[in-house]
Amino acid sequence: MTAEVPADLARAIDKRSTELAYAFLKKLSEKERKAAFPAVVAYTKEELRDWRGGYAAVAGLAFLGCAPTAKRAMTALNRGSLRWERRLIPRRMAVGLLGQRDVPWLGELAQLWAQTSALADVDEWLLVDAIAGLAGIAPPVTAGFARGWIAWIRSETDPHDAITTGHYASLLLPMLFEDDTMGRELQSTFRGAGFNHALLRLAGDDPKIRAMLVNGCLARLLRGGRPGDLRPFVTLHDELRVTPEEISARIADYAGLADADLGTVAGLAQRSLRQADEAGLLEVDTLLDVTAVIVRRKEKGLIKTQISWVRKAAKRHPARSTDLLASLDLPATPELLPLAPPVAPTVPEMPPPLTTPAEVAEELSAIMSGDRSSVTLERVLAAMVELYGRDRAGLAAAIGPIIELNRPHLVAQWAPGYWKQLGTVVCDLLEPPERRSMWLMEAFAELRADHAIAKPLADPERSPSALLEIRLATIARYLRRSPVPRLVATPTQRNGHLDPEVLLDRLEQAERDGWQPWRADLVQALLRLPRTDPGDGVRRRADRLASPAGQAFAEQLRAGHVDPVVVAYAQEGKGGRYQWYGLLPDRRVAVTMEPPANANPVVTALFSLPRHKKPQGSPWIPGSGAPLWTAALPSHREVVAAWSLAQLAMSAERGDSSEAAQILPLLAENQGPTGPATQLALVYGMTAPDAAERVAAVDALLGFGADVDWRATGRHLGDCVAAGSLVLSRAATALRDTAEAGAVGTAYEIAVGALPALLALPKTRVGTADLLQLAERCARTLGRRDRIEGLDAVADRGGGSQYAKAAKGLRDALAGVS
């Protein structure tokens, strides 16, 4: 203890007691508070480096109670683990202290706080809002504060009452359109209760809010961006049901959107302007300008709609009919596509660990309510293992009611293996044993046997989820008989990667404390190491480790990750049936995986896929479970892609919407070589029946950059379409969106790779002309001069078919003919 910190305050901090700290700070004078501040900051420095310290609440309260200025208070609140745990600061006590201090900088503090935090946590937002209210200022107008306000509305039982409270709506709703990433706040449904529904209801009640939302949608769409960021605003605009009169007041904006990169945005402009025209509110000259833009686009649906619209308009305006009909002449050559440099996906860090039983109970309740994210699950597992040794009774008391409440879900026969294993873990945490519910004892008796740890690897329907099942079985088996202070495999990034230096720190601490990590936990930790160079300093420290776990880590750093041999092959299923899913496709391209020599049992099992003569079905759909797979093997995306192929292929072949393609952009965020499995996964994603799945595939095409052999991907596309199992027009649309988003080279290579197989078919597949036209636009943009097998034969056919014209257009582009 340092002499500068008052003894009572130091005692409160050591005990992590906000009540004691609050009671003591209230007694101090303003001069005494300011004098103690530097010492309090120094006193808590080391503890705030450790996220397990649980110092956030009491340290934050002490900082707010002693800080001499807003800037110094904010600097202290950004220290160490407190930066991620400010939500734990007790709001009533913090506001009470700040109100008693009566300092002039509370408004500045609220503004600084709102600028430095996303405030996605409701409790932190409520604290900042309370400070702003105490200062007598308007709510801070920042994207972070707006996100917190939206989160608060969603947490309320009556969202409409919440959104109409105070003046927040008029101040914060414009932020939806000013920050490029705010579209994700609108990605949930517009039906039923919730923020989106409350927003529409508010717009119906308040004309000013409605006008602001319409203007905001148009401004955001005019600014452009990634498809996934823009589509929520298209949906919001459609849900607002903008009237012809509202459209006529914004004609210039809608006309500008007709040239948008994203086809859905151009479609919005076309629908709106036609609505205004049919109401007699659009000038003919404006229609001519818009038509000149639309007919140069490559979306056939937009062009057909424009032709129909113009022809009807010509009848309404006989004096201008000649001009209108002449505007339908298509341009001789297509416009060039935009070129944008590839942007590597950024992977955020994991949120701070859970430190109290109450936090664990809250996150466990979220899991039971449907949150299957790896982030939530990893935080819960890490906290349960650590709190088991520190506060077992408190943990059991906190989670017991949640387990009892969710009994039907935990014992359901259809529940996946990892779900039942999680039930085993939480069951074993309930104390005392004689008070545990009998249904829990019976439901998980088999899972508590030793063979549960090895069983997932031997299951013929295993998947990357087996890693999680093994870890859960290990926790359930050994938490009582040979507990460890902590898990070592908890990732440091949301995609599952684990910083080598962080793992090194954990293993060094384990050696100093004299314990060994559980084997399954260590295997998962090593598989989570990134493929980037950890640096000589980390390797030297690792070489000094003496424990078996430390030596395994050092060897992993020396040897690096091992990879399987992945080979594509064709399966034949003509005339056959799945056991449960109906008819087999006539043909499917799948992959085999051969594990590397001398691999451990876990790697051998997960890096192996046998050859099957017929296509295989699978009951597991990796939509909500996709993050569990990618987070288990974040440095082996080819392996994860291989396990995903059966689900992706079934969705594309059968026309079922399965959300399977949601795994594709997650793979793009990860590391590791790509090969036929990744290429085929993208092919099946591009040809998925559901538009949302194809959007996920487009995001993956943009995210992978140069990490994939795109020409080989195209060859797989052409091969599968030629075999009759996939719909080409879906892929053509996805590739067009990819090219219009700036990845012109990616779209071109896939198209050129697919065309030889498609051009050789005796009967043209629907979508081939679209692919030829896209390839022409890409070739002219890139200045490519490739030779495509079979192109001349189709181009020389002559005639007026769109197919032949498109082939000739591509040949001319490749020859440099304008």
Side-chain angles (χ1 to χ4, degrees):
M1 182 183 298
T2 61
E4 293 84 354
V5 178
D8 288 345
L9 182 56
R11 188 178 304 109
I13 294 174
D14 290 341
K15 291 184 176 181
R16 299 167 173 76
S17 172
T18 54
E19 291 81 3
L20 291 176
Y22 177 69
F24 177 75
L25 289 168
K26 285 189 67 175
K27 300 176 184 177
L28 298 181
S29 67
E30 191 61 25
K31 182 178 181 180
E32 290 171 326
R33 297 174 193 273
K34 293 179 179 179
F37 180 73
V40 171
V41 171
Y43 189 74
T44 57
K45 181 178 180 180
E46 292 300 321
E47 292 292 344
L48 288 177
R49 288 181 176 177
D50 185 357
W51 282 357
R52 296 174 296 164
Y55 263 46
V58 68
L61 189 64
F63 293 158
L64 290 174
C66 297
T69 67
K71 290 182 178 178
R72 294 188 69 182
M74 205 63 238
T75 299
L77 291 170
N78 279 324
R79 297 176 69 88
S81 61
L82 182 54
R83 180 178 183 181
W84 310 107
E85 296 187 328
R86 293 192 293 247
R87 68 189 187 282
L88 302 178
I89 300 173
R91 184 168 71 254
R92 179 187 60 81
M93 295 180 184
V95 172
L97 284 176
L98 291 171
Q100 183 190 45
R101 295 187 64 184
D102 193 28
V103 291
W105 42 259
L106 290 184
E108 181 186 4
L109 174 64
Q111 292 287 353
L112 289 173
W113 201 329
Q115 292 169 5
T116 59
S117 173
L119 296 182
D121 185 89
V122 173
D123 289 331
E124 187 178 2
W125 178 81
L126 287 170
L127 175 54
V128 178
D129 182 57
I131 294 173
L134 188 63
I137 65 170
V141 183
T142 68
F145 195 81
R147 284 193 177 92
W149 174 64
I150 293 171
W152 171 70
I153 291 172
R154 289 197 167 117
S155 71
E156 293 294 288
T157 56
D158 187 345
H160 178 259
D161 182 64
I163 202 172
T164 55
T165 298
H167 301 286
Y168 298 101
S170 59
L171 291 170
L172 299 179
L173 285 178
M175 295 307 303
L176 282 172
F177 313 103
E178 295 180 17
D179 186 289
D180 284 350
T181 64
M182 286 293 282
R184 67 192 63 173
E185 303 298 333
L186 296 171
Q187 287 177 346
S188 60
T189 178
F190 280 85
R191 301 288 183 259
F195 171 74
N196 292 17
H197 179 73
L199 181 62
L200 293 177
R201 184 175 170 185
L202 178 64
D205 296 338
D206 189 333
K208 291 182 179 180
I209 293 291
R210 178 179 175 83
M212 182 268 293
L213 293 178
V214 174
N215 291 334
C217 285
L218 295 177
R220 179 64 188 91
L221 295 173
L222 283 167
R223 196 161 71 243
R226 294 174 66 90
D229 291 333
L230 297 181
R231 283 190 174 88
F233 296 102
V234 175
T235 303
L236 174 58
H237 179 278
D238 290 344
E239 292 290 339
L240 287 168
R241 290 171 171 74
V242 183
T243 66
E245 291 73 21
E246 290 173 315
I247 296 168
S248 67
R250 303 167 174 85
I251 290 296
D253 288 340
Y254 285 102
L257 291 178
D259 197 27
D261 292 339
L262 190 62
T264 52
V265 175
L268 177 151
Q270 185 185 56
R271 291 192 305 274
S272 302
L273 291 169
R274 185 173 187 177
Q275 186 180 355
D277 180 43
E278 292 174 348
L281 300 173
L282 187 71
E283 297 289 338
V284 172
D285 287 337
T286 302
L287 175 54
L288 290 170
D289 292 340
V290 170
T291 302
V293 172
I294 295 292
V295 296
R296 286 179 170 82
R297 299 188 67 93
K298 290 305 175 183
E299 297 92 347
K300 290 191 297 184
L302 292 179
I303 295 174
K304 290 178 180 178
T305 298
Q306 196 69 24
I307 292 172
S308 173
W309 174 14
V310 170
R311 286 175 176 169
K312 291 181 179 179
K315 295 178 181 179
R316 293 198 305 271
H317 303 281
R320 303 293 302 275
S321 62
T322 301
D323 294 336
L324 286 166
L325 294 175
S327 70
L328 297 177
D329 292 337
L330 299 180
T333 58
E335 293 185 1
L336 300 182
L337 288 156
L339 282 170
V343 179
T346 57
V347 181
E349 295 182 351
M350 286 280 286
L354 309 173
T355 57
T356 67
E359 291 177 341
V360 175
E362 181 178 354
E363 295 303 305
L364 185 61
S365 180
I367 291 175
M368 299 299 176
S369 299
D371 183 351
R372 300 291 189 269
S373 69
S374 61
V375 172
T376 303
L377 188 58
E378 290 290 348
R379 295 174 77 212
V380 166
L381 292 181
M384 287 199 299
V385 170
E386 293 190 30
L387 288 171
Y388 185 83
R390 282 209 320 264
D391 187 6
R392 189 179 314 176
L395 179 62
I399 68 174
I402 297 172
I403 304 308
E404 295 290 342
L405 183 64
N406 289 274
R407 172 174 62 177
H409 303 292
L410 287 169
V411 298
Q413 293 301 314
W414 44 261
Y418 70 84
W419 181 253
K420 292 184 179 180
Q421 296 285 15
L422 178 61
T424 309
V425 172
V426 294
C427 171
D428 283 347
L429 287 172
L430 298 181
E431 291 280 2
E434 60 271 14
R435 290 180 57 187
R436 292 185 218 160
S437 298
M438 186 56 64
W439 65 267
L440 278 172
M441 297 290 288
E442 295 173 353
F444 304 117
E446 179 183 351
L447 294 177
R448 274 195 284 274
D450 285 330
H451 73 269
I453 296 177
K455 185 179 179 181
L457 293 179
D459 191 334
E461 294 187 358
R462 66 186 181 277
S463 72
S465 294
L467 271 173
L468 177 58
E469 293 180 41
I470 294 168
R471 292 174 64 212
L472 288 167
T474 297
I475 296 173
R477 182 63 175 166
Y478 295 115
L479 191 59
R480 289 182 179 277
R481 61 177 61 178
S482 55
V484 294
R486 69 178 307 177
L487 298 177
V488 298
T490 305
T492 53
Q493 288 185 299
R494 287 179 180 267
N495 69 343
H497 271 136
L498 172 55
D499 187 327
E501 190 166 7
V502 171
L503 178 56
L504 176 59
D505 291 340
R506 293 172 182 174
L507 295 177
E508 286 177 337
Q509 185 65 47
E511 284 198 9
R512 288 193 295 269
D513 295 344
W515 60 274
Q516 278 289 297
W518 293 322
R519 183 178 179 184
D521 191 36
L522 179 64
V523 169
Q524 174 66 95
L526 299 181
L527 284 169
R528 281 182 163 158
L529 292 173
R531 291 183 181 250
T532 51
D533 184 3
D536 292 338
V538 171
R539 278 190 287 266
R540 284 194 294 269
R541 285 172 58 193
D543 288 338
R544 291 195 290 268
L545 293 172
S547 66
Q551 292 174 359
F553 172 62
E555 175 59 29
Q556 176 73 30
L557 295 185
R558 287 191 293 268
H561 286 287
V562 295
D563 297 296
V565 176
V566 182
V567 178
Y569 71 101
Q571 298 171 331
E572 303 295 335
K574 188 172 184 178
R577 295 181 63 87
Y578 292 111
Q579 184 177 3
W580 302 107
Y581 310 106
L583 294 176
L584 292 171
D586 289 348
R587 183 176 181 272
R588 178 192 294 172
V589 181
V591 298
T592 62
M593 277 197 301
E594 188 70 29
N598 302 319
N600 65 56
V602 174
V603 171
T604 298
L606 294 182
F607 287 22
S608 300
L609 272 180
R611 178 183 290 265
H612 297 281
K613 292 182 179 180
K614 294 184 177 182
Q616 301 296 298
S618 174
W620 189 83
I621 299 172
S624 61
L628 299 178
W629 286 24
T630 54
L633 298 167
S635 290
H636 293 279
R637 50 189 174 188
E638 178 75 352
V639 174
V640 178
W643 284 105
S644 305
L645 284 186
Q647 292 81 28
L648 288 164
M650 285 182 65
S651 177
E653 294 159 354
R654 294 164 50 83
D656 298 332
S657 178
S658 67
E659 299 184 353
Q662 300 305 315
I663 202 168
L664 298 176
L666 300 179
L667 292 177
E669 294 179 356
N670 284 2
Q671 296 178 357
T674 64
T678 305
Q679 296 157 13
L680 285 165
L682 290 166
V683 166
Y684 294 134
M686 286 188 287
T687 54
D690 187 77
E693 294 183 66
R694 295 197 297 274
V695 169
V698 170
D699 286 343
L701 293 172
L702 298 173
F704 271 109
D707 290 349
V708 176
D709 184 339
W710 297 120
R711 187 71 66 94
T713 304
R715 287 194 290 269
H716 284 304
L717 173 62
D719 177 36
C720 292
V721 171
S725 56
L726 302 181
V727 178
L728 177 61
S729 57
R730 297 171 183 165
T733 301
L735 290 174
R736 183 202 66 215
D737 288 349
T738 301
E740 291 178 346
V744 183
T746 296
Y748 175 77
E749 289 294 329
I750 294 175
V752 169
L755 282 172
L758 301 173
L759 296 173
L761 293 173
K763 184 177 180 180
T764 307
R765 291 282 190 272
V766 175
T768 307
D770 294 336
L771 197 64
L772 286 164
Q773 291 171 346
L774 174 63
E776 179 188 353
R777 292 184 71 192
C778 294
R780 293 188 185 278
T781 301
L782 300 169
R784 296 296 294 266
R785 298 292 184 268
D786 296 275
R787 184 182 181 280
I788 300 175
E789 183 180 352
L791 182 61
D792 288 339
V794 177
D796 289 339
R797 290 180 186 177
S801 72
Q802 186 184 22
Y803 178 44
K805 288 180 179 178
K808 187 177 184 303
L810 176 56
R811 184 174 67 177
D812 289 346
L814 294 174
V817 178
S818 60

